[in-house]
């Protein structure tokens, strides 16, 4: 619900409300909230309650800058070290020909998109790189997934990933690097625009809810 922005950034949630909604006791809810705080998705404030973490676009942009640097390094190293058969398998997964209306499942694509980038880092020959990329992903996952707005966005993702794979298969390090930079840039712009719209809509929704309660 947080990742899909069904719970608006800054919104307050309570153990009782969530326990009722999910039909469970407060104990697993409390444990889940503590886990989400560790993952940086919400904040537990003493004597105030739990609040969904607010989106700080300046902070998000900073994380994207770090992500870009990590992705460039991962791409360059994968070009040198990732076995051809693994690259061919990755290219097959992201072949645009398989991106049909019947095959598109947005939820699955969101996970697969992130895994694509982590896979390149894992085969870079530097295991620390993959760990750092996962950490950055944890901080931008909400806005990154909001960027998957429609089928057109998903089709573009398939094309970008496939193109990156082709450059890597050709061992064209510079071409792969430039393709990755452009792909992340598009992702950042889309995520930023959609997030700002979503925040505005959530804010208006919260105001309407308050009026009804009053």
């Amino acid at each position: 619900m947080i990742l899909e922005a069904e719970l608006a950034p800054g919104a307050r949630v309570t153990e009782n409300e969530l326990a009722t909604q999910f039909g469970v006791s407060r104990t697993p809810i409390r444990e889940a909230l503590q886990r989400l705080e560790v993952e940086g998705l919400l904040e537990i404030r003493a004597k105030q309650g739990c609040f969904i973490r607010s989106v700080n676009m300046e902070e998000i942009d900073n994380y994207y800058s770090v992500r870009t640097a990590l992705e460039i390094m991962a791409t360059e190293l994968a070009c040198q070290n990732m076995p051809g058969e693994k690259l061919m398998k990755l290219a097959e997964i992201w072949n645009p020909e398989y991106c049909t209306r019947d095959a598109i499942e947005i939820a699955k694509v969101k996970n697969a998109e992130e895994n694509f980038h982590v896979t390149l880092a894992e085969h870079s020959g530097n295991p620390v790189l993959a760990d750092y990329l996962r950490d950055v992903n944890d901080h931008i996952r909400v806005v990154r997934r909001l960027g998957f707005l429609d089928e057109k966005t998903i089709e573009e993702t398939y094309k970008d990933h496939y193109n990156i794979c082709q450059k890597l298969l050709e061992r064209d390090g510079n071409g792969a690097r430039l393709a990755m930079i452009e792909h992340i840039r598009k992702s950042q712009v889309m995520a930023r625009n959609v997030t700002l719209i979503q925040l505005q809509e959530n804010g208006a929704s919260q105001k309407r809810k308050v009026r009804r309660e009053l």
Side-chain angles (χ1 to χ4, degrees):
M1 293 171 68
I2 295 174
L3 292 178
E4 299 299 332
E6 294 176 23
L7 290 173
R12 181 175 181 271
V13 294
T14 68
E15 291 181 8
N16 287 334
E17 290 174 346
L18 293 173
T20 299
Q21 181 174 354
F22 292 106
V24 297
S25 69
R26 291 175 56 186
T27 299
I29 293 296
R30 186 178 302 112
E31 293 173 352
L33 292 175
Q34 291 171 348
R35 172 68 180 273
L36 290 172
E37 182 182 36
V38 171
E39 294 180 357
L41 293 176
L42 57 77
E43 179 183 3
I44 300 177
R45 303 174 191 169
K47 299 182 180 179
Q48 295 185 51
C50 300
F51 296 83
I52 307 304
R53 186 184 180 196
S54 297
V55 174
N56 182 323
M57 292 311 301
E58 181 178 357
E59 180 183 40
I60 293 297
D61 285 342
N62 289 335
Y63 275 111
Y64 261 98
S65 295
V66 175
R67 179 195 170 194
T68 301
L70 294 173
E71 296 273 18
I72 289 173
M73 184 177 179
T75 302
E76 292 175 342
L77 290 175
C79 190
Q80 300 172 26
N81 301 317
M82 191 167 180
E85 62 270 18
K86 292 188 179 298
L87 281 171
M88 286 189 287
K89 183 176 181 180
L90 202 59
E92 183 178 358
I93 292 173
W94 292 99
N95 190 329
E97 294 181 2
Y98 300 148
C99 183
T100 63
R101 289 181 177 273
D102 293 336
I104 290 177
E105 292 185 47
I106 293 180
K108 289 184 178 180
V109 174
K110 288 177 179 180
N111 290 325
E113 195 277 338
E114 186 173 315
N115 289 336
F116 169 83
H117 294 273
V118 172
T119 298
L120 293 183
E122 287 176 337
H123 290 88
S124 67
N126 186 338
V128 175
L129 183 57
D131 290 336
Y132 274 103
L133 185 57
R134 290 190 189 94
D135 183 64
V136 171
N137 287 338
D138 288 341
H139 288 85
I140 64 173
R141 187 169 290 116
V142 174
V143 296
R144 187 170 171 179
R145 293 193 173 194
L146 283 175
F148 280 92
L149 186 62
D150 50 29
E151 292 178 357
K152 182 179 179 181
T153 307
I154 294 176
E155 290 171 359
E156 282 294 315
T157 298
Y158 267 80
K159 292 177 182 177
D160 286 355
H161 285 188
Y162 186 74
N163 182 42
I164 291 169
C165 287
Q166 294 306 307
K167 296 296 183 183
L168 291 174
L169 282 166
E170 296 166 6
R171 302 304 175 182
D172 179 2
N174 187 56
R177 175 179 176 276
L178 293 176
M180 179 63 78
I181 292 173
E182 177 62 16
H183 172 60
I184 297 174
R185 186 196 66 80
K186 289 193 295 185
S187 172
Q188 181 177 3
V189 171
M190 177 64 75
R192 184 183 182 87
N193 292 341
V194 173
T195 299
L196 291 174
I197 293 172
Q198 186 69 49
L199 291 177
Q200 292 172 355
E201 292 177 348
N202 285 339
S205 177
Q206 289 294 326
K207 289 180 180 179
R208 290 194 295 269
K209 180 180 179 181
V210 170
R211 291 196 197 102
R212 287 197 298 270
E213 292 175 349
L214 292 175

